[in-house]
Amino acid sequence: MKTVTISLNSIDKVKSFVNDLTKFDDDFDLVSGRYVIDAKSIMGIFSLDLSRPISLNIHATENLDTILKTLDPYIIK
């Protein structure tokens, strides 16, 4: 499992983030405080506080480099 910090501070960013994640069969969780949400769920994402950075847990063993490259626009460095 790999964890990165991401920012989803607009509706368009959330939509494109979910579209990017659905290209992969792996599981992704968003963690904000005590809440853990399926990162492929738009409704779940909108239940989080999007004004703050969110942790993304990537449950992938293969193609991790491809996933990170796809998610690069959302990752806070």
Side-chain angles (χ1 to χ4, degrees):
M1 182 177 82
K2 171 109 174 129
T3 301
V4 294
T5 304
I6 62 168
S7 174
L8 298 172
N9 52 8
S10 73
I11 293 171
D12 291 333
K13 219 171 180 181
V14 170
K15 282 195 238 175
S16 62
F17 174 76
V18 171
N19 285 337
D20 287 344
L21 285 186
T22 56
K23 297 174 187 172
F24 302 103
D25 291 331
D26 303 295
D27 291 327
F28 302 89
D29 296 324
L30 288 173
V31 181
S32 178
R34 61 188 174 110
Y35 299 104
V36 179
I37 303 287
D38 178 5
K40 293 181 181 179
S41 166
I42 288 181
M43 294 301 290
I45 292 173
F46 283 121
S47 72
L48 299 174
D49 179 6
L50 299 178
S51 65
R52 300 184 329 182
I54 304 167
S55 295
L56 173 67
N57 294 334
I58 304 168
H59 302 279
T61 52
E62 300 174 15
N63 67 358
L64 186 60
D65 291 337
T66 307
I67 292 170
L68 291 174
K69 190 175 186 181
T70 303
L71 297 178
D72 190 58
Y74 315 101
I75 295 174
I76 299 172
K77 297 178 178 139

